[in-house]
Each structure stands twice: as structure tokens, then as C-alpha cells.
Amino acid sequence: MNEPFLNTGFKKKLHTLNPHKKELQIEIQKTKRRTINIKINPDSCQNLVREQLACKVSGTMMGLWLLIPEHLKLGTWDMLKHYSNTQCDNDLEPRFAMQMVHEAALCVQGIRAQRNIAHQGFDILNGLPEIISDNQSHYYLNDKTIHDSQQLQIMLGQLRAASDHFPSKIISIDPHRILTATQRIMPKKKKRPNQPSEKMLQTYFALDPISGQPIASTIGSTGKKTSHATIELLQLIQQIQNDDKLILADAEHFTINIVDYIKNQTTYDFLSPTPVTAKITKLMSGLDYTPQWAGFATAITEYQFKQSKEKYHLLVQRTGEANYQYKPFITSNPDHVLQKLSEYYPLRWSIEEFFNFEGSMGWKRASTLNLNIRYGKQSLALIAQALVSQFREKLPKAYINWTAQSIADKVFSRFDADIKVKKNTIFVTYYGIPEEYGFKNHYSNMPQKLENENIDPRIPWLYDFKVDYIFK
């Protein structure tokens, strides 16, 4: 049969099966109070973003564009592609995650319908023509497992460790409880002894106390035991930093499971305060104390749990000259007793400073207790915290102690700016930024500065455009 006479009608719809043109239905925040569903694919997304960039975009959310160089230095895009299980720069899902990273940097809380961040350059920053809704972000995160979020944290931690963001030989760990508005039936707990019991999300953080930077975090329901959650956190830390470290723990970590795990399955030393039980009180009363300076003395003896064959060391600090006060600690290594008690352990309180400075990024209140969603949001917030930390280093000394909320209010969402494109470069023009911020020195001629640091200035989620900044 001759070829021209073949029936080729079945081929007419083959173009619809092109995976690059497969449309995805998503819910977007069209206005402040209205959501709509649209169909979009990677090609149409790129066309719409380029169309918007061809027009001049104005708004007050342009301060977040100052984070683009920090993204390129940190390697955010590759992490988000891995988290979204894709290797294609044009796919949509990593852009959904990018939006949530920027929302965390903006310290946005509450329901997205009550926020006024649409059509102000925020959507284009994420490589999207629109802002995805709360529901859409939850659909995206619900498809990611806890393991996916843990792998994202490990990648982030390893990159930060390679950049010397965790310079000390000490790690502070601490449980942190977040109020949740979930409607689930669940045990209630007190955040403080003098407060009523409430529904809470349990989080567990590890932090470098010298730099104040978080290393990893885990979460759990209020029914999850501290021992199990802490061991899970330590396993994450081991995949990020598996060299000799001193773990500074809280009294809640004084359990046989935790101390046995640290001693037998890690390379870490640990120091944890102990509850003042009858057994420990008896041990403390029979010790010979070595005076270190006026009003401060130390003593050390062996300690063993009833259910364990492992031997540990009980360190006791005695303060006062007449009315003595005692504080016992347990450790696996008896060396450097004075340094551990007087110099290292006080550093543990830097983790409380972290929550005061960075808590607004997503560690103050939880709207849902779906663990896939919460773990994903918490992991993406850690990326936002890393970006803001790098950005904070560019601020003058007078502003370097600004909290994350202050940076979001006074820089990221305050100043008017507009966007225009010339050839392959996006120019962001800012108006009214005070000269004492020093941004002009740090951000002018940005493509060349990035190239000087051997960093590719092209932005993959913005379709390989470069970005430069103008200050007026």
C-alpha cells in the first residue's frame, strides 16, 4: 500500500502526550481574597513569566530579590529540585517550594488569603506567573515524606558545613514546643508550669552555639517520647557532621536511651544536667570539692544507671561560700571538667536566642499537625534562615542584630522598587533605601561580582536571566 494513502488520523493528537506540555491544574491566589484554578505547564509558565518581565513590574516586595545572590551561593535550586524529585530546571514543583522559602523569609503567618503579597514582584521572584494558594502548597508538601524532608536538611547541612557555617566543636540540642491550631484530638501539654495545657507541636533543634546557626531539626506529636525524637535528631546530625563534637543537652535528655546511644553509636562527647534525685543527692554530699575560684568548686565521680552496664561521670559544680548550691551534670568524658562547666555549658542558651531572633520564620505557631506538611515547612524554613543569615552579614554593625521579623519588615517588604529587563539581565531598581545600609557597594554590578567568586550568575528558576541592582 502506498504511503500517501495510509490513515494518519490517529496521529493528530500525539502532541497532547508530550510530557513537557502536560498541563497541571493548580489553585492560585488571584487576589487578596479570591482563589481560582488554572491549568499550566512548564512551557506556558515560562511564557507567562517572560511576558510579565517584558512589562515593568512595581511593588514593595522587591526587597526579597536581594536574596537571589544568596540562593546562588548556597545552592538552593539544586536542593529544591532534589526535594521535588526532578532534574529539569523548567519543572513547576521546585518553584512551589521556592515560594514557601520566600514566605518563610518574609515571616508570613496566617492564611494566605489575608496577605497582600500578590502582584508585587513576589510571584515572578519564584519563577511563577501567580502565587500558589495555601491549599496548593499543602498538596505539594503532603506528597513529600518525612524522609524527603530529612534528606533536604542533610543536603542543606552538608553545604553549610562546607561553607564553615558551623565552626565550633560544640552542638546544642533543645526541645522547642510550638502552639498549634489543629482540630485533632491529641494530648495537651504545658509550655511552662504556670500556663494552661494546650495542643502543641514538638520540635527538636540542633544548633552551633558559636555561630548561632541551626544544623538540623525534627518534629513529632506530643505523644512522641523525647528519647526517640532526640536519637532521630542525632542521626541527622551524624550525616551532617560526624567528627568529634561536644553535645550540650537539656535535663529532658537525661535518659538511659539517649546517653547510651551517644556513647556507643556516635563519636560525640556529651554534657547534660541531671535531675536532683535521692541517688544523686547522696553522691553529691560525699564528694571532695576542688575550689576553682571564690564561690565556685567542682567535683567528679563515676555514675551508672541501674539498667545499664555503661559507666559515666557525674560532674558537680558547687557555688556559694556558706549556703552552698549544687548543680549536677553527666558526661561520658571526664576531661576538661572546669571548661565544660564554666565555659561550654553556658553557651547552650544561645539556642534560646535563636528562637527569639529567627522564630518568626515558622517556629512560633503551627496551623496543621500533618507531619508531612509540617516537616516540609520546617525544612524549607531552615533554607530561608540560611539565606537571611548570609544576607544579615552584609548589614552594617548597627543593624546586624536585627531579628528575622525586623529584616522582613524593614527591608524585604518596605521599599518601592520596579523590575525591567534588558537583554539577558533583570534590573531591579530600588527607591529610598538609606545609604547607611550599604547595599549599593554589595549589590551593584552583581553578575560580575558573582563571576569573580566563580559562581554562575544565571538564575535557573528565572530561565537563566541574570540580575543586577540599581539604587536611587
Side-chain angles (χ1 to χ4, degrees), residues 13 32 38 45 51 71 136 156 196 215 220 223 256 267 270 272 292 299 307 335 388 404 408 416 421 438 448-449 452:
K13 299 295 183 180
K32 186 176 179 180
I38 64 169
C45 177
E51 182 180 337
H71 280 298
Q136 190 63 49
L156 173 63
I215 300 171
I256 186 173
T267 60
F270 70 91
S272 170
Q292 302 295 344
Q307 302 90 348
D335 297 336
V388 173
D416 287 305
V421 175
Q448 185 61 49
K449 288 179 178 176
N452 292 342

Side-chain angles (χ1 to χ4, degrees), residues 460-472:
W461 67 96
L462 291 178
Y463 307 105
D464 285 343
F465 279 103
K466 301 175 185 179
V467 67
D468 204 354
Y469 303 92
I470 301 171
F471 299 89
K472 292 185 177 181

Side-chain angles (χ1 to χ4, degrees), residues 5-292:
F5 298 99
L6 286 175
N7 183 3
T8 58
F10 66 93
K11 297 182 179 180
K12 291 182 179 180
K13 299 295 183 180
L14 281 179
H15 69 280
T16 62
L17 301 179
N18 186 336
H20 296 292
K21 294 186 178 181
K22 184 178 180 181
E23 289 188 327
L24 179 68
Q25 181 166 304
I26 63 173
E27 185 180 85
I28 63 167
Q29 196 72 43
K30 188 63 179 176
T31 66
K32 186 176 179 180
R33 297 177 178 84
R34 185 166 69 97
T35 61
I36 62 171
N37 292 320
I38 64 169
K39 290 184 177 180
I40 193 170
N41 62 43
D43 288 343
S44 63
C45 177
Q46 179 175 179
N47 292 337
L48 290 169
V49 170
R50 287 180 177 274
E51 182 180 337
Q52 291 190 33
L53 286 171
C55 303
K56 204 167 188 178
V57 181
S58 297
T60 58
M61 297 293 171
M62 303 296 189
L64 282 169
W65 284 72
L66 295 170
L67 291 180
I68 287 180
E70 313 309 329
H71 280 298
L72 298 177
K73 292 175 184 178
L74 185 64
T76 304
W77 185 242
D78 288 335
M79 287 189 284
L80 297 184
K81 285 197 301 181
H82 186 272
Y83 184 57
S84 302
N85 194 28
T86 181
Q87 294 300 318
C88 180
D89 283 339
N90 286 349
D91 280 354
L92 298 176
E93 285 202 338
R95 291 170 166 80
F96 299 164
M98 185 67 79
Q99 175 178 314
M100 285 178 267
V101 170
H102 288 141
E103 285 175 348
L106 204 55
C107 299
V108 175
Q109 298 179 11
I111 300 172
R112 188 170 286 103
Q114 298 173 353
R115 307 170 193 156
N116 190 20
I117 58 177
H119 310 301
Q120 298 197 60
F122 180 84
D123 40 11
I124 302 176
L125 173 62
N126 308 310
L128 293 169
E130 303 284 353
I131 295 174
I132 62 170
S133 66
D134 271 330
N135 288 337
Q136 190 63 49
S137 66
H138 284 192
Y139 297 150
Y140 168 77
L141 292 174
N142 194 42
D143 287 339
K144 312 305 172 193
T145 65
I146 289 178
H147 176 74
D148 293 333
S149 297
Q150 288 176 338
Q151 291 303 307
L152 178 63
Q153 288 194 32
I154 291 169
M155 289 180 66
L156 173 63
Q158 290 173 342
L159 287 171
R160 299 197 71 183
S163 299
D164 201 29
H165 290 188
F166 314 130
S168 75
K169 291 291 185 180
I170 306 171
I171 297 175
S172 297
I173 61 174
D174 191 55
H176 180 64
R177 296 176 179 87
I178 304 174
L179 295 177
T180 176
T182 181
Q183 298 301 308
R184 299 184 183 193
I185 298 173
M186 56 184 291
K188 296 182 179 181
K189 288 193 175 183
K190 293 184 178 182
K191 194 167 185 177
R192 292 182 178 86
N194 59 345
Q195 293 181 346
S197 299
E198 298 182 84
K199 294 179 182 179
M200 294 189 186
L201 175 72
Q202 296 274 78
T203 65
Y204 304 85
F205 276 79
L207 179 121
D208 185 299
I210 300 298
S211 65
Q213 299 305 307
I215 300 171
S217 67
T218 61
I219 64 173
S221 64
T222 50
K224 192 170 188 176
K225 292 184 178 180
T226 299
S227 294
H228 297 160
T230 303
I231 290 173
E232 184 180 319
L233 177 62
L234 290 167
Q235 290 170 343
L236 275 180
I237 299 170
Q238 285 179 275
Q239 297 182 69
I240 297 170
Q241 288 189 303
N242 199 25
D243 50 352
D244 295 337
K245 296 279 186 178
L246 172 64
I247 303 291
L248 301 179
D250 190 80
E252 292 185 57
H253 301 112
F254 181 72
T255 70
I256 186 173
N257 292 333
I258 293 175
V259 297
D260 276 0
Y261 178 85
I262 294 175
K263 183 172 183 179
N264 296 322
Q265 300 190 45
T266 75
T267 60
Y268 306 142
D269 185 13
F270 70 91
L271 181 67
S272 170
T274 72
V276 184
T277 62
K279 177 182 178 180
I280 291 177
T281 301
K282 184 178 179 181
L283 286 171
M284 289 192 299
S285 63
L287 294 177
D288 293 326
Y289 289 85
T290 303
Q292 302 295 344

Side-chain angles (χ1 to χ4, degrees), residues 372-392:
N372 281 357
I373 295 174
R374 289 313 319 167
Y375 222 129
K377 279 185 174 289
Q378 187 163 299
S379 300
L380 293 171
L382 287 175
I383 295 179
Q385 189 279 330
L387 297 170
V388 173
S389 174
Q390 291 179 180
F391 172 79
R392 189 184 278 118

